[in-house]
C-alpha cells in the first residue's frame, strides 16, 4: 500500500557556498558508461531551478559524499529510485504532479544528457516540447509558417485538423515504451538505467503534499494512483517528458511518412494537420484513430477533435493564429488579469514579468501588454517604456 504523509513545506533560504569537486577521470572509470564529471554536470543541471528546494538543500549539505555515494551505487548496479512527492496543481485544471527526490533528478539529468542527443536527432523537426530550442514559441511559429505556406500567405483556403490524446501521461503503456527505448539505446548499461527509471513505480512509496480534498479535485481516471502497474508516467520528471517524446515518435513518423502529412506539428499530445481538403483530413483522422490503439495503446480524445478552415483562427498551445496575426489566447489573458488583481503586492514583480514574457511570444501583443501594464500600474508597479517588463518595488 502507498505511504501517505500530509505535510507543509516551508520556504527556506540558504547562503551559497563554493564547493570544490574533483573532476578528473580515475583509472577505474576509463571504461565506464559515464565519467564522474558527467555526474557533477548532471547535478549542476538539476539544481539550476531547484537550488532552494528542501531536497536540494539537504543534498548540498554533504555534496561530495552524496555524489560519491550516488556514483558508487550507479556503477555497482545498486541504484534504486527513492521516495517521490505527490501534490496537486489547480491551474489550468486540477492534476497530479509527481516530483522525484533531488538525488533521483540528478540521475534523470545524467541519463538525459547522455542518450537524448542521438535519439532526438531521429525526431522530426515538427516534434516539440522538452527539446532544446523547441518550446511553445517554436511550435507556434512553425505552425504559423506552415499555415502561410499551405495558404500562400492567406490567399488560398485550407483546413486544419486538431487532435488530442485522451489522458495521455497516465495511459502510456510502459511495456511498449520499454521496447521503443531498446530499439534506440544499444549500450546495455544505459538501457538498464532507462528501465530502472521507467519501471519504478512511485506509488509504492511517496509523500502526499496536499490535502485529500484537493486531491479529490483530480478526476479519478486522470490519477496515476488509479492506473494498472504497466500504465502511466509521473508528470513532473524530466525523464517522463523525454519518454513521452520517444513514445510519440512513432505517431510522428506515421503521420509524416505513411499518411503523407506535409504540414504537421505536435506539442506533447496536442497535434495539428493541415490540408486543402477536409475530406483528406477526415481520412487521416480515421487512420490515426486506428493506428494509435493498435500500435501505442493510446486513444484520441474525441471531445477535443476540431476540423475547421484555418481563416477562422487556429488555437494551439495558448496562441491563436489568424490571418496576418498571432495573439495570446483570450482565456489565458483573462485568467492572468484576474490573478494579478488578487495577488499580494510582494508577488507582482515575478508574476507580472512572467505574463509579460508570455505575451511577448505573440506577434501582436501590444494591446494585451498595455492592459497588463495598466493593471500593474494601478497596483503601484512601474513599467518600462516598451511595455515589456515591470520593476521590483523599493523596500
Amino acid at each position: 500500500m502507498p505511504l501517505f504523509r500530509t505535510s507543509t513545506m516551508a520556504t527556506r533560504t540558504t547562503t551559497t557556498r563554493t564547493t570544490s569537486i574533483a573532476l578528473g577521470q580515475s583509472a577505474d572509470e576509463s571504461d565506464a558508461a559515464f565519467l564522474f564529471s558527467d555526474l557533477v554536470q548532471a547535478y549542476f543541471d538539476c539544481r539550476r531551478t531547484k537550488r532552494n528546494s528542501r531536497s536540494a538543500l539537504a543534498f548540498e549539505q554533504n555534496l561530495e559524499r552524496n555524489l560519491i555515494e550516488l556514483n558508487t551505487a550507479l556503477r555497482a548496479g545498486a541504484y534504486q529510485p527513492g521516495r517521490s512527492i505527490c501534490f496537486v496543481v489547480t491551474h489550468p485544471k486540477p492534476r497530479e504532479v509527481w516530483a522525484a527526490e533531488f538525488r533521483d533528478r540528478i540521475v534523470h539529468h545524467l541519463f538525459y544528457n547522455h542518450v537524448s542527443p542521438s535519439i532526438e536527432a531521429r525526431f522530426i523537426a515538427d516534434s516539440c516540447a522538452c527539446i532544446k530550442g523547441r518550446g511553445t514559441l517554436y511550435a507556434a511559429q512553425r505552425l504559423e509558417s506552415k499555415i502561410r505556406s499551405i495558404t500562400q500567405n492567406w490567399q488560398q483556403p485550407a483546413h486544419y485538423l486538431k487532435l488530442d490524446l485522451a489522458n495521455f501521461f497516465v495511459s502510456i503503456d510502459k511495456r511498449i515504451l520499454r521496447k521503443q527505448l531498446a530499439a534506440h539505446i544499444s549500450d546495455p548499461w544505459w538501457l538498464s538505467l532507462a528501465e530502472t527509471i521507467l519501471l519504478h513505480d512511485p506509488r509504492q512509496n511517496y509523500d502526499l503534499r496536499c490535502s485529500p480534498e484537493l486531491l479529490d479535485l483530480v478526476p479519478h481516471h486522470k490519477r496515476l494512483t488509479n492506473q494498472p502497474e504497466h500504465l502511466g508516467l509521473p508528470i513532473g520528471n524530466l525523464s517522463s517528458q523525454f519518454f513521452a517524446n520517444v513514445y510519440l515518435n512513432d505517431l510522428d513518423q506515421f503521420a509524416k511518412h505513411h499518411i503523407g502529412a506535409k504540414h504537421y506539428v505536435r506539442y506533447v499530445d496536442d497535434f495539428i494537420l493541415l490540408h486543402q481538403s477536409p475530406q483528406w483530413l477526415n481520412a487521416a483522422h480515421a487512420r490515426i484513430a486506428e493506428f494509435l490503439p493498435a500500435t501505442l495503446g493510446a486513444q484520441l480524445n474525441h471531445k477535443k477533435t476540431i476540423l475547421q478552415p484555418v481563416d477562422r483562427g487556429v488555437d494551439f498551445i495558448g496562441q491563436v493564429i489568424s490571418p496576418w496575426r498571432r495573439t495570446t489566447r483570450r482565456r489565458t489573458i483573462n485568467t492572468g488579469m484576474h490573478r494579478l488583481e488578487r495577488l499580494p503586492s510582494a508577488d507582482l514583480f515575478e508574476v507580472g514579468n512572467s505574463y509579460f514574457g508570455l505575451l511577448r511570444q505573440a506577434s501582436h501583443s501590444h494591446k494585451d501588454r498595455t492592459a497588463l501594464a495598466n493593471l500593474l500600474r494601478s497596483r503601484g508597479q512601474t513599467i518600462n517604456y516598451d511595455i515589456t517588463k515591470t520593476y521590483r518595488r523599493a523596500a
Side-chain angles (χ1 to χ4, degrees):
M1 292 296 291
L3 302 178
F4 293 89
R5 180 171 65 85
T6 302
S7 60
T8 302
M9 185 166 57
T11 302
R12 299 179 62 184
T13 59
T14 183
T15 301
T16 302
R17 61 185 178 90
T18 303
T19 303
S20 175
I21 302 176
L23 301 183
Q25 179 178 344
S26 62
D28 64 344
E29 61 182 19
S30 58
D31 296 325
F34 67 96
L35 303 177
F36 186 71
S37 58
D38 298 329
L39 187 62
V40 174
Q41 183 59 54
Y43 160 73
F44 284 123
D45 293 340
C46 184
R47 80 169 192 178
R48 187 173 295 127
T49 58
K50 302 293 181 182
R51 188 69 185 273
N52 289 329
S53 66
R54 178 185 296 177
S55 58
L57 291 171
F59 193 91
E60 189 173 345
Q61 285 180 348
N62 295 287
L63 180 58
E64 295 91 342
R65 185 188 68 187
N66 289 330
L67 282 176
I68 290 172
E69 289 179 351
L70 181 56
N71 177 71
T72 302
L74 286 166
R75 294 184 184 283
Y79 165 76
Q80 289 298 324
R83 174 174 291 190
S84 295
I85 296 171
C86 177
F87 59 95
V88 173
V89 296
T90 56
H91 179 77
K93 55 187 177 182
R95 63 177 180 176
E96 281 181 342
V97 176
W98 296 77
E101 64 180 34
F102 190 78
R103 169 179 174 271
D104 296 328
R105 289 176 179 237
I106 295 175
V107 176
H108 297 170
H109 279 273
L110 176 71
F111 170 76
Y112 178 79
N113 290 345
H114 180 83
V115 305
S116 66
S118 60
I119 295 180
E120 290 175 355
R122 305 174 192 177
F123 293 167
I124 65 173
D126 302 307
S127 171
C128 311
C130 197
I131 302 174
K132 187 176 181 179
R134 299 196 204 174
T136 55
L137 180 58
Y138 172 91
Q141 290 176 334
R142 191 155 184 89
L143 179 58
E144 184 179 27
S145 69
K146 289 180 177 293
I147 292 175
R148 285 177 175 267
S149 174
I150 197 171
T151 62
Q152 299 181 27
N153 272 338
W154 302 101
Q155 300 303 309
Q156 300 295 326
H159 291 74
Y160 75 93
L161 173 66
K162 182 179 178 182
L163 299 171
D164 177 85
L165 298 183
N167 310 319
F168 174 55
F169 273 95
V170 297
S171 64
I172 291 178
D173 193 322
K174 292 189 282 189
R175 299 168 301 183
I176 295 174
L177 182 52
R178 187 179 189 177
K179 294 179 181 178
Q180 293 173 318
L181 290 169
H184 288 295
I185 304 173
S186 58
D187 187 286
W189 192 92
W190 289 106
L191 180 58
S192 176
L193 180 60
E195 292 176 343
T196 298
I197 297 171
L198 172 65
L199 300 180
H200 170 66
D201 188 351
R203 299 169 296 183
Q204 300 304 314
N205 184 12
Y206 67 95
D207 289 339
L208 181 63
R209 294 286 178 87
C210 68
S211 66
E213 292 76 18
L214 189 59
L215 187 62
D216 286 339
L217 296 178
V218 182
H220 282 252
H221 64 281
K222 291 182 178 293
R223 290 190 196 174
L224 183 62
T225 50
N226 292 332
Q227 304 304 316
E229 185 178 356
H230 68 281
L231 291 184
L233 293 180
I235 298 176
N237 292 335
L238 172 65
S239 57
S240 296
Q241 298 173 48
F242 173 68
F243 288 154
N245 275 335
V246 174
Y247 191 69
L248 290 182
N249 181 53
D250 285 1
L251 169 63
D252 299 337
Q253 302 297 335
F254 178 76
K256 298 292 285 189
H257 302 301
H258 293 272
I259 294 180
K262 294 176 61 177
H263 303 286
Y264 165 93
V265 177
R266 178 181 63 80
Y267 189 90
V268 194
D269 61 327
D270 293 324
F271 54 104
I272 283 185
L273 297 86
L274 305 170
H275 203 272
Q276 294 90 346
S277 167
Q279 290 78 20
W280 186 94
L281 290 172
N282 272 323
H285 182 196
R287 294 186 65 184
I288 292 172
E290 181 180 353
F291 167 83
L292 285 171
T295 306
L296 298 177
Q299 299 285 342
L300 289 172
N301 185 345
H302 296 291
K303 294 181 179 179
K304 293 186 177 181
T305 299
I306 300 175
L307 177 59
Q308 293 281 355
V310 296
D311 58 10
R312 294 186 182 179
V314 182
D315 188 335
F316 187 59
I317 56 170
Q319 297 194 28
V320 179
I321 303 169
S322 49
W324 308 109
R325 60 193 298 116
R326 179 164 42 82
T327 57
T328 305
R329 180 187 294 159
R330 180 52 48 188
R331 185 179 65 188
T332 302
I333 297 172
N334 291 339
T335 300
M337 300 288 282
H338 182 77
R339 181 184 177 190
L340 287 167
E341 286 175 351
R342 292 158 174 76
L343 205 66
S345 298
D347 298 331
L348 289 176
F349 169 75
E350 291 184 354
V351 178
N353 278 328
S354 69
Y355 275 104
F356 272 127
L358 176 66
L359 295 178
R360 286 202 308 271
Q361 291 190 359
S363 61
H364 290 69
S365 64
H366 186 271
K367 180 180 178 181
D368 297 329
R369 286 186 288 115
T370 300
L372 175 62
N374 288 337
L375 188 153
L376 290 171
R377 274 196 291 260
S378 71
R379 299 206 57 192
Q381 293 292 123
T382 302
I383 312 298
N384 70 333
Y385 180 80
D386 295 326
I387 322 179
T388 56
K389 64 180 180 180
T390 183
Y391 297 98
R392 193 180 298 275
R393 300 174 68 175

